């Protein structure tokens, strides 16, 4: 990317400022917006904390008021049932143990004189440093109000010194005894600090400083934290019948920091991230021109590559319409891109195949392209603009867009015309090579033919000479016995001539047979066609040829001439392999059995087997172990069998002790329909030992 930046030509100054001005305004607006957002977030946090402290103050003041009213109710309960002094002192002591904020309870007479009193068990006597009479002014005023109102009355708070220079801020509540206070009054002294400790929840006290204050802010008593932060402060009034206390809460939380919580941190983090994004965006804008230039170059290169391909490319959408073709495809079919793009029924489809192609396209559009076709392709026929039909091989795969969704199909199309011409020439050369191999086989049998033809020709000559002698001896009037003998000799001459003719015709038919059509034949028909030639070799080597075909013999679909050549080569090789074996072991077995859709044919001998070094090169063209051989027999046999879709291989036969007992060559051919199940083999002899 750095190289790309270096290739960008600097813009003129005026154009540069026009391009930078929107970015400068954007950065300024973002800075102002983010600053305001951060300030508003901090203010929001401050307001939220203040609202929380206000709610806490309201809750605390309500708890204090509820505690004081409950204390009044507890004091009133001491006066129920007009208790005796001893009983009252006992009940008062129990109440002081239950209410830690109460420091002292007094029973006073109608003249406001203290008759009896009880102090809290949690500390020493309250009035030690100063006498009770010295701090009784506010209490007397409260009792006067209580008698006047006939209801509990509260005094103002006052300070009671304690030993050691300490003291406690207290308030008194006075309850009249009897109607209009005729029997006196009961006074309870409460510590303001104790009221805070008992009324406020512990979790609130751990995070706030609570205190009772006067109107000028003077603190009377405190509780909770030692000292608050003084930032978040709230005050609430505790209103009673004759008393108003100001309760202040001071939170331990300080002023909002730059990042007081997750929300502000997120705002600040997002602001920084947005600033970084803007910086990256500005940086990327500089690269856009270079990227667009590179993209244009890549598109140009891609188009040049597609235009230079010799393989045709074609794209179709999901409805089967042609959306793209490259020049190679246009040249292949002879139509321009304008004539092909947008067509659902393209003009390169042959008219006679139009319905079949439309049905196939509809099926492919509905079901997709089979996986094996996308890998191996499929063959079909196209038509050029001049009407010429030509074969093509198509590889088709789904066309998937950047969003991962299929938008159509992409096809690579290969013109097979040149390949078909090469295959045709190869086929013709293969036929010529097979004919040469047949002629070579016949040449090798020339000596056998001379031996086979000598017998009928010699018999013909003998019978002809005898017939002439009989005619000469008989004179002009041959007697009946002589006529009979002449007739018999003539018949023998005809039989031997027919025998010689059959031998010659069998060789002639084998050499001249050239048709390449596939026929439906039985295996014994294939064997019978080559038996006249094999019989010559078998008689010369003193061997027998047996067959195991079952009943009925399996039927195959094959090229008769080519398979006869395979059987002839394999059987002749088997006969030649047993020339060194004893006469009783010179047996060649021809077999055929059905395996599903295939028929397996075998040629088995009892020879010495095939050496490992020979087996490795056995099917290599021009490799032979015979001095007069061409090395093409087994190579041609394998080629012929593979052209039929089968396979040719061999197996070395061994006995129980591991000794070699012969070789079995097997090859497979397609079965014709459903062949009958093979029955037990019925070995038969086609030829015996020749004399």
């Amino acid at each position: 990317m750095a190289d790309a930046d270096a290739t960008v030509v600097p813009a003129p100054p005026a154009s540069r400022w026009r391009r930078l001005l929107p970015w400068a305004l954007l950065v300024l607006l973002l800075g102002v917006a983010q600053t305001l957002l951060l300030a508003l977030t901090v203010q929001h946090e401050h307001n939220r904390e203040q609202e929380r402290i206000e709610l806490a103050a309201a809750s605390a003041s309500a708890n204090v008021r509820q505690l004081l009213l409950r204390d009044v109710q507890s004091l009133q309960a001491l006066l129920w049932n007009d208790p005796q002094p001893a009983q009252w002192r006992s009940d008062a002591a129990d109440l002081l143990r239950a209410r830690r904020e109460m420091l002292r309870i007094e029973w006073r007479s109608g003249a406001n004189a203290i008759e009896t009193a009880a102090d809290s068990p949690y500390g020493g006597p309250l009035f030690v440093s100063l006498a009770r009479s010295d701090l009784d002014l506010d209490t007397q005023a409260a009792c006067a109000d209580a008698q006047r109102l006939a209801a509990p009355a509260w005094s103002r708070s006052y300070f009671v010194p304690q030993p050691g220079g300490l003291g406690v801020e207290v308030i008194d509540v006075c309850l009249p005894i009897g109607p209009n206070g005729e029997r006196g009054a009961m006074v309870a002294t409460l510590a303001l600090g104790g009221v805070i400790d008992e009324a406020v929840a512990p979790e609130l006290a751990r995070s706030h400083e609570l205190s009772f204050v006067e109107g000028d802010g003077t603190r009377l008593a405190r509780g909770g934290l030692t000292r608050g932060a003084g930032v978040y402060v709230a005050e609430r009034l505790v209103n009673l019948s004759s008393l108003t206390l100001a309760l202040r809460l001071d939170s331990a939380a300080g002023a909002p920091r730059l990042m007081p919580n997750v929300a502000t941190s997120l705002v600040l983090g997002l602001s920084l991230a947005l600033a970084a994004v803007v910086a990256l965006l500005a940086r990327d804008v500089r690269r856009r021109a270079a990227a667009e230039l590179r993209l244009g170059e890549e598109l140009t290169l891609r188009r040049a590559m597609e235009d230079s391909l010799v393989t045709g490319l074609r794209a179709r959408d999901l409805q089967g319409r042609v959306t793209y073709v490259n020049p190679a495809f246009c040249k292949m079919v002879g139509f321009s891109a304008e004539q092909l793009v947008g067509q659902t029924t393209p003009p390169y489809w042959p008219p006679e195949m139009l319905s079949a192609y439309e049905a196939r396209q509809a099926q492919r559009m509905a079901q997709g392209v089979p996986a094996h076709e996308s890998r191996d392709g499929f063959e079909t026929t196209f038509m050029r603009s001049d009407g010429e039909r030509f074969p093509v091989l198509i590889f088709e795969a789904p066309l998937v867009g950047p969003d991962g969704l299929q938008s159509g199909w992409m096809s690579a199309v290969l013109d097979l015309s040149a390949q078909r011409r090469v295959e045709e020439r190869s086929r013709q050369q293969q036929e010529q090579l097979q004919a040469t191999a047949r002629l070579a086989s016949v040449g090798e049998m020339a000596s056998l033919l001379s031996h086979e033809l000598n017998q009928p020709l010699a018999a013909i000559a003998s019978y002809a000479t005898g017939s002439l002698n009989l005619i000469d001896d008989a004179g002009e009037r041959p007697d009946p016995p002589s006529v009979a003998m002449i007739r018999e000799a003539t018949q023998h001459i005809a039989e031997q001539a027919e025998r010689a003719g059959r031998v010659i015709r069998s060789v002639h038919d084998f050499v001249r047979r050239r048709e390449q059509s596939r026929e439906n034949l039985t295996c014994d028909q294939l064997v019978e066609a080559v038996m006249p030639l094999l019989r010559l070799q078998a008689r010369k080597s003193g061997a027998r040829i047996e067959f195991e075909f079952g009943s009925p013999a399996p039927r195959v679909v094959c090229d008769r001439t080519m398979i006869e050549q395979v059987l002839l080569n394999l059987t002749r090789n088997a006969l030649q392999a047993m020339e060194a074996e004893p006469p009783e072991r010179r047996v060649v077995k021809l077999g055929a059995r059905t395996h599903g859709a295939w028929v397996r044919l075998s040629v088995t001998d009892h020879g010495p087997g095939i050496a490992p070094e020979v087996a490795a090169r056995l099917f290599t063209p021009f490799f032979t172990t015979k001095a007069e051989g061409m090395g093409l027999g087994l190579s041609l046999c394998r080629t012929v069998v593979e052209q039929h879709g089968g396979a040719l291989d061999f197996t070395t036969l061994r006995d129980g002790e591991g000794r070699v007992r012969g070789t079995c060559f097997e090859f497979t051919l397609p079965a014709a329909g459903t062949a009958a199940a093979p029955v037990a083999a019925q070995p038969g002899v086609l030829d015996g030992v020749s004399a």
Side-chain angles (χ1 to χ4, degrees):
M1 297 299 289
D3 295 338
D5 291 341
T7 60
V8 178
V9 179
S15 175
R16 217 164 158 193
W17 278 109
R18 284 196 300 269
R19 190 176 67 250
L20 293 177
L21 182 59
W23 288 102
L25 293 176
L26 176 62
V27 171
L28 179 61
L29 292 176
L30 287 175
V32 172
Q34 295 302 318
T35 302
L36 291 176
L37 180 60
L38 184 61
L40 291 175
T41 303
V42 173
Q43 184 62 34
H44 172 72
E45 293 297 325
H46 177 81
N47 294 338
R48 190 173 66 173
E49 184 66 23
Q50 185 63 39
E51 290 176 359
R52 190 182 66 80
I53 194 70
E54 295 288 347
L55 292 176
S59 175
S61 63
N63 291 339
V64 169
R65 186 175 186 278
Q66 184 178 6
L67 175 67
L68 295 177
L69 293 177
R70 186 181 59 187
D71 289 343
V72 171
Q73 293 175 356
S74 300
L75 292 171
Q76 290 174 340
L78 292 178
L79 301 177
W80 293 349
N81 301 324
D82 193 15
Q84 297 297 320
Q87 180 64 36
W88 181 87
R89 283 193 296 272
S90 176
D91 293 341
D94 292 340
L95 181 60
L96 290 172
R97 281 193 295 270
R99 300 284 188 266
R100 300 177 67 93
E101 68 276 10
M102 290 187 183
L103 301 180
R104 179 183 174 88
I105 301 177
E106 301 171 344
W107 184 296
R108 296 191 177 197
S109 63
N112 204 24
I114 299 175
E115 295 185 356
T116 183
D119 290 306
S120 174
Y122 301 108
L126 180 61
F127 299 100
V128 176
S129 299
L130 290 177
R132 179 66 171 114
S133 58
D134 296 333
L135 301 173
D136 200 34
L137 182 60
D138 292 326
T139 305
Q140 292 178 5
C143 288
D145 291 339
Q147 291 177 356
R148 178 172 55 84
L149 299 174
W154 295 87
S155 70
R156 294 189 307 170
S157 65
Y158 58 93
F159 183 76
V160 179
Q162 296 294 306
L166 301 178
V168 59
E169 190 77 17
V170 298
I171 57 174
D172 292 334
V173 57
C174 182
L175 286 78
I177 302 175
N180 299 323
E182 296 175 355
R183 297 178 52 194
M186 185 172 59
V187 177
T189 304
L190 285 76
L192 291 180
V195 170
I196 293 176
D197 293 339
E198 293 297 323
V200 178
E203 58 272 12
L204 183 63
R206 284 193 294 267
S207 57
H208 296 79
E209 178 189 6
L210 297 98
S211 58
F212 287 113
V213 296
E214 293 185 348
D216 58 358
T218 303
R219 186 169 59 188
L220 301 177
R222 59 165 302 280
L225 287 176
T226 303
R227 186 174 181 83
V231 177
Y232 299 106
V233 180
E235 291 187 7
R236 286 291 184 274
L237 297 179
V238 180
N239 294 315
L240 297 173
S241 58
S242 58
L243 175 66
T244 300
L245 295 174
L247 178 64
R248 173 183 291 177
L249 267 71
D250 190 351
S251 175
R257 294 170 296 172
L258 185 61
M259 287 186 285
N261 58 13
V262 177
T264 308
S265 302
L266 287 176
V267 170
L268 185 59
L270 289 176
S271 301
L272 295 176
L274 184 58
V277 169
V278 171
L280 291 175
L281 184 60
R283 182 169 175 259
D284 289 340
V285 167
R286 299 177 55 204
R287 302 182 179 182
R288 181 177 297 276
E292 291 177 352
L293 178 61
R294 289 197 307 274
L295 180 60
E297 292 175 350
E298 291 177 359
L299 290 176
T300 303
L301 177 61
R302 176 185 172 187
R303 178 57 60 89
M305 293 174 60
E306 293 177 356
D307 293 347
S308 63
L309 287 175
V310 297
T311 301
L313 297 180
R314 178 193 66 184
R316 295 188 295 174
D317 59 16
L318 295 176
Q319 287 71 40
R321 289 189 296 269
V322 178
T323 58
Y324 169 78
V325 288
N326 69 337
F329 187 86
C330 296
K331 183 178 179 181
M332 183 186 305
V333 298
F335 296 97
S336 65
E338 291 76 12
Q339 293 174 299
L340 298 178
V341 174
Q343 297 293 327
T344 305
T345 304
Y348 52 79
W349 282 0
E352 67 275 9
M353 302 179 182
L354 190 59
S355 58
Y357 283 11
E358 289 178 345
R360 182 176 65 183
Q361 175 168 289
Q363 181 180 5
R364 294 167 71 85
M365 294 299 139
Q367 301 178 0
V369 179
H372 67 88
E373 285 192 7
S374 63
R375 294 190 302 268
D376 304 332
F378 67 95
E379 291 188 20
T380 187
T381 301
F382 281 177
M383 182 182 68
R384 304 189 201 276
S385 58
D386 58 2
E388 177 190 356
R389 273 66 169 171
F390 65 100
V392 294
L393 178 63
I394 300 178
F395 297 88
E396 196 162 33
L399 187 61
V400 180
D403 54 0
L405 300 177
Q406 181 181 353
S407 59
W409 285 269
M410 189 69 190
S411 305
V413 184
L414 301 178
D415 188 349
L416 300 180
S417 301
Q419 180 181 344
R420 290 292 182 266
R421 288 193 293 269
V422 172
E423 291 176 354
E424 179 63 21
R425 286 197 297 268
S426 176
R427 185 188 63 80
Q428 293 174 359
Q429 293 173 357
Q430 185 75 14
E431 290 181 1
Q432 294 174 0
L433 190 59
Q434 291 174 5
T436 302
R438 287 197 297 273
L439 291 174
S441 300
V442 173
E444 293 177 8
M445 295 181 183
S447 61
L448 299 179
L449 286 173
S450 64
H451 173 75
E452 184 71 14
L453 292 175
N454 277 336
Q455 293 183 11
L457 292 177
I460 290 173
S462 298
Y463 285 124
T465 302
S467 298
L468 292 174
N469 292 334
L470 287 175
I471 293 173
D472 291 340
D473 293 342
E476 295 180 358
R477 293 183 180 180
D479 55 356
S482 297
V483 173
M485 293 177 63
I486 292 172
R487 182 180 295 110
E488 182 179 357
T490 304
Q491 290 176 351
H492 284 299
I493 290 173
E495 291 174 358
Q496 295 301 321
E498 177 65 23
R499 177 183 175 188
R502 284 198 305 270
V503 174
I504 294 174
R505 281 194 303 273
S506 64
V507 176
H508 181 270
D509 292 342
F510 177 77
V511 175
R512 293 295 301 276
R513 188 179 296 132
R514 298 294 300 275
E515 62 272 12
Q516 295 292 324
S517 60
R518 300 289 174 95
E519 301 180 46
N520 188 330
L521 303 168
T522 60
C523 293
D524 51 2
Q525 288 177 315
L526 293 173
V527 174
E528 289 173 0
V530 297
M531 279 310 299
L533 300 177
L534 296 177
R535 186 180 295 111
L536 302 177
Q537 180 100 19
R539 288 179 179 176
K540 179 181 178 181
S541 60
R544 300 193 314 275
I545 300 177
E546 300 178 353
F547 67 96
E548 297 178 353
F549 286 164
S551 179
R555 301 185 69 88
V556 295
V557 177
C558 66
D559 186 323
R560 180 170 186 166
T561 303
M562 299 173 69
I563 299 303
E564 288 175 358
Q565 179 71 36
V566 172
L567 289 172
L568 178 63
N569 286 349
L570 295 179
T571 308
R572 288 180 60 251
N573 289 345
L575 291 170
Q576 293 172 2
M578 297 187 299
E579 290 179 351
E581 299 295 325
E584 64 273 8
R585 287 183 51 81
R586 299 176 191 172
V587 179
V588 176
K589 292 184 178 180
L590 301 179
R593 59 187 183 276
T594 303
H595 288 274
W598 297 91
V599 174
R600 184 180 297 275
L601 291 90
S602 61
V603 179
T604 307
D605 63 60
H606 295 84
I610 301 174
E613 62 273 10
V614 176
R617 305 177 57 193
L618 191 60
F619 296 100
T620 304
F622 304 107
F623 171 76
T624 180
T625 58
K626 304 175 186 177
E628 70 283 1
M630 298 176 60
L632 295 174
L634 289 177
S635 176
L636 285 174
C637 290
R638 170 169 281 188
T639 301
V640 169
V641 172
E642 290 178 351
Q643 287 176 350
H644 284 74
L648 170 64
D649 207 346
F650 70 93
T651 304
T652 300
L653 305 178
R654 300 179 184 273
D655 58 12
E657 299 179 359
R659 292 175 296 187
V660 177
R661 291 304 185 194
T663 306
C664 177
F665 280 83
E666 293 184 326
F667 64 94
T668 54
L669 294 175
T674 304
V679 297
Q682 300 287 338
V685 179
L686 295 183
D687 205 346
V689 179
S690 62

